[in-house]
Amino acid sequence: MKINQGTIEIINNIRSVVGDFDKNNPVYLHEPDFRNTKALDYVKNCIENGWVSSAGSWVSKFEEDICKFTGASHTVAVTNGTDGLRLALYLVGVRQGDEVIIPPLSFVGTANAVCHLNAIPHFVDIEATSLGMSPKSLEQRLIDVGMLKNGIVINRETGRRISAILPVDVFGIPCDVKALKKIALRWNLPIIEDCAEALGSKVLIDRKIVHCGTLAQIGVISFNGNKLITTGGGGALITNNNNLAKLAKHISTTAKIQHQWEYNHDQVGWNDRMPNINAALGVAQLENIDDRLIKKKNLFKKYIYAFKDCKFAEIIKTKEDVFSNNWLISLRLKNRDSEVVTKLRNDLLINAFKSGLCLRPAWNLLSNLPMYKNVPSGDISVAEFENQRIINLPSSPQLDDL
Ligand SMILES: *Cc1c(COP(=O)(O)O)cnc(C)c1O
């Protein structure tokens, strides 16, 4: 009986924020929003002048706009976030047979990007506050298995090189990149930040507020359909490193040497460039991104209010020195007993879906997926504990208009 009461209370609290829903009128997790944008005009412009593919002025405009918005010196727009991660890892030197340290709580694309280079993911635990990679666990794991020799880190257990650290800003909440960076420097390892979900998320560093991804060698953003803004499909590398930016542009455009008519390529490249027609959509949404972020912040505050006295669940908040874009606002079920939590979680998900409310559990841990079951891993008990009690809530900016 108690469990059902939790489900009823949680669904009622959500209803008080997002308004009424039913099977014929469902409320989704995160929907694209092109209202109050010039998206149609910009796409029409692409079609009328024929520049719809991997060259054209909207791509460079989009890159400039992302630089302005994030404060990064360089942006390279690519076909999607997964390709962006693969490219970024390659650029900092990840090669076949290497290990890349990642957290087990992320979208599968994080681990897949590592494998697309024939490298191997290596799991390090998360911290409960940010849900991102735990600096303590990273440090412990490197001490436990790492050996730094001639500037290269070798995993003593596998004999393989560890060549990068890939933390994730989960649901838009910034990971503790400042602490991670300190450890990375000590071990001479580059950081690629998976800020796929974190456009607009920021951290306070030395009294300056900086955008997620800009403290790493390269940050990678996604513009998939469910993200804060979408280009249909798309991604971007952001970096303050001139050489990495130049190489990113070169390798993502088939490593072609610029020439008006000659086709010459100086290495194996990829065809990763974001098409112009997709970039046009991105430019249109960046024009009112501040408005979108305010709406999501309002929605977050409404959820906080709705759940302030709830016995069963709380809204996940960030620490004071980090600013989430509130991409996916999330609940944490309070009960610490695994069996009780699993029952409530399943009951909640089943009943919510039945009534037209799309909730989502956190991803199944990557370490549970068949292809990543047997890769190297430190202790990941925090990820295992937190993972089963996280529920993502409907977070579309449109929901603030109700
Ligand atoms: C969306 C996402 C990706 C992949 O981006 P795509 O554009 O879908 O390829 C990678 N990592 C995280 C954490 C994501 O949320």
Side-chain angles (χ1 to χ4, degrees), residues 85 89 100-107 110-111 114 122 124-127 130-135 138 164-170 173-181 184 189-198 212-213 215-220 366:
L85 286 170
L89 290 168
V100 174
I101 296 180
I102 70 169
L105 179 66
S106 186
F107 175 62
T110 310
V114 174
H122 179 148
V124 156
D125 210 356
I126 63 163
E127 51 176 13
S130 71
L131 301 177
M133 189 184 286
S134 154
L138 173 66
I165 303 170
L166 176 52
V168 182
D169 302 315
V170 175
I173 302 171
C175 64
D176 190 353
V177 68
K178 191 177 157 188
L180 293 170
K181 207 173 155 176
L189 287 169
I191 294 187
I192 300 299
E193 188 172 341
D194 182 343
C195 45
E197 306 172 353
C212 276
L215 289 170
Q217 265 76 6
I218 304 174
V220 180
L366 299 175

Side-chain angles (χ1 to χ4, degrees), residues 144-219:
D144 287 348
V145 305
M147 177 177 69
L148 185 60
K149 210 176 155 189
N150 302 328
I152 286 173
V153 184
I154 301 292
N155 179 342
R156 276 180 278 131
E157 287 181 356
T158 62
R160 290 188 288 246
R161 182 169 85 117
I162 297 175
S163 54
I165 303 170
L166 176 52
V168 182
D169 302 315
V170 175
F171 310 140
I173 302 171
C175 64
D176 190 353
V177 68
K178 191 177 157 188
L180 293 170
K181 207 173 155 176
K182 264 193 201 150
I183 300 160
L185 277 173
R186 229 177 289 141
W187 287 84
N188 196 32
L189 287 169
I191 294 187
I192 300 299
E193 188 172 341
D194 182 343
C195 45
E197 306 172 353
L199 183 67
S201 298
K202 295 172 182 177
V203 290
L204 182 66
I205 307 267
D206 303 330
R207 279 186 255 140
K208 264 202 300 206
I209 294 176
V210 300
H211 195 280
C212 276
T214 58
L215 289 170
Q217 265 76 6
I218 304 174

Side-chain angles (χ1 to χ4, degrees), residues 286-349:
L286 271 180
E287 285 170 348
N288 70 4
I289 191 166
D290 291 334
D291 184 44
R292 201 174 285 247
L293 286 165
I294 290 168
K295 284 183 171 159
K296 287 176 70 76
K297 177 96 191 177
N298 287 340
L299 192 62
F300 174 75
K301 285 184 185 160
K302 288 180 190 172
Y303 274 124
I304 291 270
Y305 182 77
F307 279 91
K308 71 180 176 5
D309 299 320
C310 183
K311 281 202 304 282
F312 304 97
E314 62 186 3
I315 299 294
I316 297 179
K317 290 185 208 158
T318 58
K319 286 202 293 189
E320 264 161 24
D321 56 349
V322 301
F323 310 94
S324 172
N325 62 0
N326 297 300
W327 175 56
L328 283 187
I329 302 164
S330 306
L331 278 181
R332 178 186 272 126
L333 301 179
K334 283 183 179 172
N335 198 297
R336 300 187 68 82
D337 183 281
S338 160
E339 233 170 86
V340 176
V341 156
T342 306
K343 266 194 193 157
L344 172 54
R345 176 187 121 126
N346 293 343
D347 192 56
L348 177 61
L349 290 169

Side-chain angles (χ1 to χ4, degrees), residues 80-83 85 106-107 109-110 168 194 196-197 222-224 226-227 234 327 363:
N80 60 58
T82 309
D83 288 350
L85 286 170
S106 186
F107 175 62
T110 310
V168 182
D194 182 343
E197 306 172 353
S222 163
F223 306 107
N224 188 30
N226 60 353
K227 301 281 157 60
W327 175 56
W363 310 279

